[in-house]
């Protein structure tokens, strides 16, 4: 791995502790004006100082994020479908690597849908993105997306994560599940855990705690932060769990409340 790739990865996963708190706000690329993201410049700006990186689309980056803010960008570069479709797996690469570089992306992100009817398309797109990534020194984050019909269990998630890593992804994003340590043990690259749909703050902090306890590098969390009643407190509490090793209940009481 050359210097550029290593340096960009180190901007995302902090070398001091090997951990990361990524803030995901890319939901609009298939969900439209997601609750909490209607007015990104107002709702997200106060959170940026507490995130290790920001995962989003180029449309929101160009229109809503102040270029003077020093935050590594993980650019969503896949899309092509919407929440109105039953099958969300029909995605392609939507952004050129040259545009990602123009936007100073520290990494690019693409979803694959293992077990879906577009499984091959996703894996081949990931392979193409990894090829381009190595050409320019840009790491690729593979999002192992779960279709409505797939179960988020250890068997399915370890299969998806391992395929993503074998295809060349530098970081893999997945969901937390019972037996998560097996997902981590069988994956040769760092894993980050998605927060998923909004739950209670305590549950989301527990998820972050368990994710890193069982070997994840951290979280790539969206709705459980920006849909929280107190988003700034919530991201601070997530940081305290992921980077500070605080117990979830302690982080909830001392930082969130
Ligand atoms: C979903 O497709 C996006 O990649 C999100 O970035 C991801 O699901 C993480 O956000 P959340 O914590 O809201 O699930």
């Amino acid at each position: 791995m050359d210097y550029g790739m290593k340096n960009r990865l180190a901007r995302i996963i902090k070398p001091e502790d090997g951990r990361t708190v990524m803030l995901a706000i890319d939901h609009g690329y298939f969900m439209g004006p997601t609750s909490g993201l209607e007015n990104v410049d107002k709702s997200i700006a106060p959170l940026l100082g507490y995130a290790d990186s920001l995962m989003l689309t180029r449309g929101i980056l160009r229109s809503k994020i102040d270029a003077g803010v020093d935050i590594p960008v993980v650019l969503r570069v896949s899309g092509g479908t919407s929440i109105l479709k039953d099958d969300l797996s029909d995605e392609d690469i939507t952004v050129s690597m040259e545009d990602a570089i123009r936007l100073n992306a520290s990494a690019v992100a693409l979803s694959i849908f293992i077990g879906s009817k577009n499984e091959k398309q996703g894996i081949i797109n990931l392979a193409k993105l990894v090829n381009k990534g190595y050409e320019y020194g840009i790491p690729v984050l593979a999002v192992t997306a779960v279709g409505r019909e797939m179960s988020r269990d250890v068997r399915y998630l370890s299969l998806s994560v391992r395929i993503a890593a074998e295809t060349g992804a530098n970081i893999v994003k997945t969901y937390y599940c019972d037996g998560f340590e097996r997902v981590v043990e069988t994956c040769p690259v760092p894993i980050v855990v998605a927060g998923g749909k909004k739950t209670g703050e305590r549950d989301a902090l527990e998820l972050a705690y368990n994710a890193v306890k069982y070997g994840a590098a951290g979280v790539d969390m969206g709705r459980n932060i920006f849909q929280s009643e107190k988003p700034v407190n919530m991201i601070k509490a997530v940081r305290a769990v992921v980077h500070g090793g605080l117990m979830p209940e302690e982080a909830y009481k001392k930082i969130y409340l």
Side-chain angles (χ1 to χ4, degrees), residues 1-19:
M1 205 184 280
D2 71 7
Y3 176 86
M5 178 81 77
K6 279 191 198 158
N7 178 262
R8 289 185 181 92
L9 278 170
R11 295 201 71 212
I12 299 168
I13 299 176
K14 298 298 163 192
E16 307 86 64
D17 61 0
R19 299 239 170 121

Side-chain angles (χ1 to χ4, degrees), residues 29 32 45 74 102 155:
Y29 91 94
V74 177
R102 261 192 296 279
R155 186 166 162 265

